[in-house]
Structures are given as structure tokens and as C-alpha cells.
Amino acid sequence: MEPTKVQSDGGLNVTLTIRLLMHGKEVGSIIGKKGETVKKMREESGARINISEGSCPERIVTITGPTDTIFKAFAMIAYKFEEDIINSMSNSPATSKPPVTLRLVVPASQCGSLIGKGGSKIKEMRESTGAQVQVAGDMLPNSTERAVTISGTPEAIIQCVKQICVVMLESPPKGATIPYRPKPASTPVIFSGGQAYTIQGQYAIPHPDLTKLHQLAMQQTPFTPLGQTTPAFPGLDTSPPASTHELTIPNDLIGCIIGRQGTKINEIRQMSGAQIKIANAMEGSSERQITITGTPANISLAQYLINARFRDVAAMWNDPSSMTTS
């Protein structure tokens, strides 16, 4: 049998599954208001489009169907992302339009075929489509898959995806593939009106455990808002003695706790009601001492917020393209 070829119009009736890795914001754009955008994409392309569940910073979007329907779905996604870029530029001083970027998740056993001998195949793809194609050197965590990043105009991306599909059809995966499953990250927490909320998608979900922790901490802060009385909790000593807790943090991580011009550490102090002191760097030491002073509730909340900050930064490091300076 001759290797399967995808015609230039994409008219080939071979069923294929392509997986995309997207950030929450990108997924929100694809889903649209009340799911209208993804519904339209499914109907107009004829492809099955499934989005992984979970409050993860990354989600997997799986597109399945005959190759021609996959290309239509990719075209709709690429043009939607370009529309988002144009809309974001209307409020930005930037003059040059950044490229549309999509990330495919491909079994590592097929990546050699995508790269080609001495990089010949990937070079050919770049030159013939005008898209930038990058195959990640490392496998995605706990999987046998790698990320393939495609950047360019929507037209270039569509042509590039067609060529990638040809390679994937000609070189099926070898052995068992362990699919990449994004891990949930710590969800952002906001405090409003004495209540704690976790942010899930576009919604703020009340979080009763954190609310109680926050209220316990706030109960011990030195300043009570004017006209408010401090609520008492049954069976709880309303004035527990202040205690001190010490943490040791590596020097290279201290910046993410302090934040730009101290914004993050001040936020943690304000939310927890604890006093937080960061010791100066000691010569020859790779660590810094953080001293947290307050009631047990103050300290618990401060520790929670510091750990949440580490998890957020770790999630960014796992996905460098999501990093912003904070």
C-alpha cells in the first residue's frame, strides 16, 4: 500500500484525533458565552470537539473526525485566536500583530518523523507553509507525549496542520502512549465582604473552609473596621496569644513571594492579618528566613497564601509561555 496522502483541499476520509494544549483563557475563547462558540464550531466543521474537565491552568482540547473536518475545526480555532489578538491590540500601544500560536500534543514516538532526518522534515514544513514549528525536547510531565508549537498566520497554521496530519497518518505511534493529563493548580482565592471565594473559570465559588480561616484571622487583626464588632466563634478563645512561625525559603524563590515592589507580600500580610518579616540575605547562604507572627489562624492563612503563591509560580514555570512578570 502506498502511504496515505492528504489532498490539497483536505478531502480525505480518514478519521484522525488531534490533541491541543490550551490555557484557560484560550479555552474560554473557544467555549464562548454559554458554550455558543464551541457549539458553532462543532456544527460547522463536523468534527467532534471535546474539552477536558477540571480547574487546571491547562486543558486538553481533543478534535476527532475525518481529516477535512479537522482542518475546518482548526481553521475556526486559528481565526478565533486571531480575532482575540486583534481585539486585545485595540487597547494596546503595540503596533505589530503577534502570531497566532497553537500547541499540539503528539506521541513522542511520532516526533522523530515530524522532525525528519537532520531536521529536514520540520525545515520543509516551515519553508512551505511560512509557519514556525517547534518540537519540545522533553516529554510532557507523566506522559509519553511532547508539545509541538505552531505559530504564524491562521492560513500558515492550517497548511502546517495538514502536513503534520500526513506525517501522523504515515507514521503511526509505536508502542503504548501515556497521554498527558494537566494537573490541577491552586485556584486563585479572593476575599470579599468577609467571605473567601475560589475562582473557577468566570465564576467565584464560595469556599466555606477558607472563609472561616479568613474570618478567624481577621478577628485577631489590630484594626476592626469602624462600626463593626468582632464576631465570636463558639468554643474559641477570642484572644489567643500571638505566636511565631518560621519558614526557610531558597533565595531564588524569595522574589515570587515579595512580588514587584513588595505587592505580593503586602497582599499576603493584608489578607492573613499576620506580621511577616523577611530576613536579609546572609553571605554564603542560599536561603532566607521568613518569620510569621500572629494568632494561629493568622499564621495558617499566611502559610496557605505563601504556598498558593509557590504553586502558581510552579505552574508558570512548567509552562513558560504563560509567564508574566509579577
Side-chain angles (χ1 to χ4, degrees), residues 100 194 281:
V100 173

Side-chain angles (χ1 to χ4, degrees), residues 33 74 85 91 165 256 291 306 322:
K33 199 173 181 181
F74 261 92
I85 288 168
N91 302 320
C165 285
C256 77
T291 306
I306 287 169
S322 72

Side-chain angles (χ1 to χ4, degrees), residues 50-91:
N50 291 323
I51 298 163
S52 66
E53 294 293 325
S55 57
C56 303
E58 293 177 323
R59 307 273 283 279
I60 297 287
V61 177
T62 307
I63 305 172
T64 306
T67 47
D68 58 335
T69 68
I70 283 177
F71 301 148
K72 283 179 194 167
F74 261 92
M76 294 180 81
I77 289 170
Y79 282 114
K80 179 70 177 80
F81 283 177
E82 185 181 55
E83 183 189 309
D84 293 343
I85 288 168
I86 291 165
N87 290 340
S88 68
M89 284 184 70
S90 62
N91 302 320

Side-chain angles (χ1 to χ4, degrees), residues 280-286:
N280 293 328
M282 299 287 286
E283 195 176 337
S285 172
S286 62

Side-chain angles (χ1 to χ4, degrees), residues 189-211:
V189 179
I190 58 169
F191 297 97
S192 176
Q195 300 292 312
Y197 299 87
T198 52
I199 308 302
Q200 293 177 19
Q202 298 176 335
Y203 302 98
I205 313 296
H207 197 307
D209 294 340
L210 271 180
T211 296

Side-chain angles (χ1 to χ4, degrees), residues 239-278:
S239 56
S243 55
T244 297
H245 184 80
E246 290 186 344
L247 297 173
T248 305
I249 307 287
N251 276 337
D252 54 357
L253 292 181
I254 203 75
C256 77
I257 295 297
I258 296 171
R260 186 183 287 172
Q261 296 179 332
T263 50
K264 292 294 171 191
I265 194 70
N266 286 337
E267 206 175 89
I268 293 169
R269 284 178 181 130
Q270 194 175 349
M271 284 182 178
S272 66
Q275 289 180 36
I276 305 172
K277 289 180 180 173
I278 298 171

